[in-house]
Amino acid sequence: MAAQAASALAAPPGSVPEERLHDLLVLSKGAAGLVLESFFDAPAEPARRFSRRLAVDPVTGLAYLALGDATDAGAVQIVDLSDPAHPAPRARVDVGRTVVGLAVEGGILAVVGPFGFRLFDVTDPDAPQPRGLYEPSDDAGLADVKLAGGRAYVVGTAGTPPNLFLQPRLLILGLADPDVPALLGEHRTTSGFQGLGVTAEIRGDRAYLLGDLGLDVLDVSDPSFPYSVGGIPPSVRPP
């Protein structure tokens, strides 16, 4: 399915253009709702790779598409959006395994997947360079990553199937040396809410860790000691 801008989520019903099978839709907000400006599809060779995740760097005007259906064919396509009407392909970063989460900040691209956590220098979008790799010491899945203030916030689960409840966890990595990401701290949610699908948002000194059921709010002002300051337990259901 096409990746879409976050602003589409708040659009009035019926204002988003009809569904199209593209890797990237570029939308603008008009008086009547969202308007389709253009679309982009990654090159089909050697095999069609549909976009699964999207990260956008508003400073550089570049988009990063996580591509790949097969577990051994993951890649990130860099797309230049400086002219929204004509998205232009730049380099492709071959990761080799499925990319399930990605983020970009300050010329650094972070990706997570079955391989763990990897960094790439994308200062030159036509010639990305591999940097460091971090692999968790235990058998735990990684699901998402956010970059903020020279740190990476990596979320995943602290258990493995077939456990019914997988405990979400947050890893905080220091990126002072992009060639050697360093684990600064870790938090494992103990509330028991399910974490098959886990994501996080970072706002200042707060990290919001969201699972399939439940929300944990963490204080990350001291990255070596992240701790819970509140949240929504899994027993709470929307009306």
Side-chain angles (χ1 to χ4, degrees):
M1 176 55 197
Q4 298 178 358
S7 59
L9 298 177
S15 66
V16 180
E18 65 181 21
E19 183 176 327
R20 300 169 185 267
L21 190 60
H22 296 296
D23 290 324
L24 173 68
L25 300 182
V26 181
L27 308 173
S28 63
K29 187 175 181 181
L34 295 178
V35 178
L36 178 64
E37 292 282 346
S38 60
F39 60 86
F40 174 85
D41 291 317
E45 294 80 17
R48 191 75 180 95
R49 295 176 170 181
F50 294 114
S51 175
R52 298 303 185 192
R53 296 291 185 272
L54 169 69
V56 178
D57 187 342
V59 176
T60 61
L62 297 172
Y64 297 80
L65 302 177
L67 306 173
D69 294 322
T71 57
D72 60 349
V76 176
Q77 175 69 55
I78 305 176
V79 184
D80 191 331
L81 299 179
S82 56
D83 181 357
H86 300 92
R90 304 293 287 268
R92 187 178 70 184
V93 182
D94 287 310
V95 180
R97 300 290 299 277
T98 303
V99 175
V100 299
L102 76 167
V104 62
E105 182 184 68
I108 292 293
L109 170 67
V111 298
V112 295
F115 47 82
F117 168 88
R118 291 189 65 182
L119 293 174
F120 295 88
D121 187 329
V122 291
T123 305
D124 181 351
D126 295 313
Q129 299 297 319
R131 301 299 294 267
L133 169 68
Y134 178 84
E135 298 177 283
S137 58
D138 53 356
D139 184 15
L142 301 182
D144 194 15
V145 59
K146 296 293 189 296
L147 298 180
R151 298 171 186 161
Y153 298 82
V154 183
V155 294
T157 53
T160 54
N163 296 342
L164 178 61
F165 283 87
L166 304 180
Q167 291 183 334
R169 72 172 185 174
L170 173 70
L171 303 176
I172 304 177
L173 303 176
L175 306 182
D177 182 353
D179 291 320
V180 187
L183 179 64
L184 302 178
E186 177 180 357
H187 174 83
R188 299 192 180 210
T189 296
T190 59
S191 62
F193 73 80
Q194 191 148 354
L196 288 172
V198 187
T199 188
E201 287 296 332
I202 310 300
R203 295 290 185 271
D205 290 335
R206 292 288 187 267
Y208 300 84
L209 183 60
L210 177 67
D212 292 321
L213 298 172
L215 171 71
D216 200 5
V217 183
L218 309 177
D219 186 309
V220 293
S221 55
D222 179 357
S224 66
F225 184 64
Y227 62 93
S228 178
V229 294
I232 301 176
S235 58
V236 176
R237 299 289 187 273

